């Protein structure tokens, strides 16, 4: 047991109160700074950030919006609607815009998918990004597939497929690479899973960290974005918060069969 001083105990109970009030996630660093000015925060270990990418983003922001005086327009006027934004994303990921669902952060896409497509039963690998069970509807049963610590949280593909087949869910969630453990399923293994689970109605693949993963020693990257063309049950979800370092902007999208968009 760690022994806290009286002062530390006070701070700890204040943090606990903030946490209880924050809902599913930790309070933001802004809330903690405001409510606990006595704390000197060095690292925010509750939320992920990518300061290198944020720096790069700021360079572009300055060059493209501030130096050109376009920032005022961007702030003053309503933005283009999602169809237009989907067109922009379409060009960079090479997927038709009618297959792209734009969200206010990937969280919004996750919520929409969990509410609209996931039905009676979903399998979520654990440990995982909590939104996938927090946004499950009241009438959706969440079944956890436990990744094992002594196997370094690596997904045992065959065992997983057997588990899914035995539970007969309508939906499964694969975060690749996984948050929080970074476990990565190589492209050919992912295809193996998809080929063996064609009966599952929704296979949700969250690729929010795909830009940190690689397939081989040459750092080649393979995204699953295109797989929905071959497997109509695939829904790919992508946050821009981590790789582009822009969590504050709330930008994310989903790629899926066009009848779902
Ligand atoms: C952070 C995260 C999200 C949410 O991303 P936002 O775009 O910030 O809403 C979704 N999925 C995973 C796996 C994440 O780690």
């Amino acid at each position: 047991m760690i022994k806290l001083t009286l002062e530390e105990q006070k701070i700890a109970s204040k943090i606990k109160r903030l946490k209880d009030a924050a809902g599913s996630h930790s309070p933001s660093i802004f809330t903690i700074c405001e409510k606990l000015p006595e704390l000197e925060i060095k690292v925010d270990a509750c939320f992920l950030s990518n300061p290198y990418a944020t720096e790069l983003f700021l360079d572009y922001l300055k060059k493209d919006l501030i130096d050109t005086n376009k920032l005022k327009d961007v702030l003053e006027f309503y933005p283009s609607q999602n169809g237009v934004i989907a067109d922009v994303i379409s060009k960079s990921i090479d997927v038709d815009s009618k297959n792209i669902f734009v969200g206010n952060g990937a969280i919004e896409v996750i919520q929409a998918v969990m509410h609209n497509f996931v039905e009676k039963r979903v399998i979520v690998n654990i440990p995982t990004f909590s939104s996938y069970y927090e946004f499950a509807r009241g009438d959706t049963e969440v079944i956890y597939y436990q990744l094992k610590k002594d196997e370094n949280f690596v997904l045992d593909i065959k065992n997983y497929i057997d588990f899914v087949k035995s539970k007969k869910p309508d939906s499964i969630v694969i975060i690749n690479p996984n948050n929080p453990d970074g476990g990565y399923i190589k492209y050919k293994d992912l295809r193996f899973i998809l080929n063996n689970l064609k009966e599952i109605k929704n296979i949700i693949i969250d690729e929010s960290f795909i830009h940190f993963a690689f397939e081989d020693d040459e750092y080649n990257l393979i995204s699953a974005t295109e797989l929905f063309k071959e497997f109509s049950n695939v829904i790919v979800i992508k946050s821009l918060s981590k790789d582009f370092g822009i969590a504050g902007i709330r930008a994310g999208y989903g790629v899926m069969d066009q009848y779902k968009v």
Side-chain angles (χ1 to χ4, degrees), residues 214-221:
F214 47 87
E215 285 279 320
D216 52 35
D217 295 343
E218 267 84 54
Y219 296 107
N220 283 311
L221 168 83

Side-chain angles (χ1 to χ4, degrees), residues 105-107 110 129 175 179 206 208-209 239-242 250-251:
I107 288 279
I110 295 171
F129 183 63
I175 305 181
N179 176 0
D206 185 324
S208 295
F209 293 89
S239 168
L240 306 186
S241 298
K242 320 298 167 36
R250 313 302 307 125

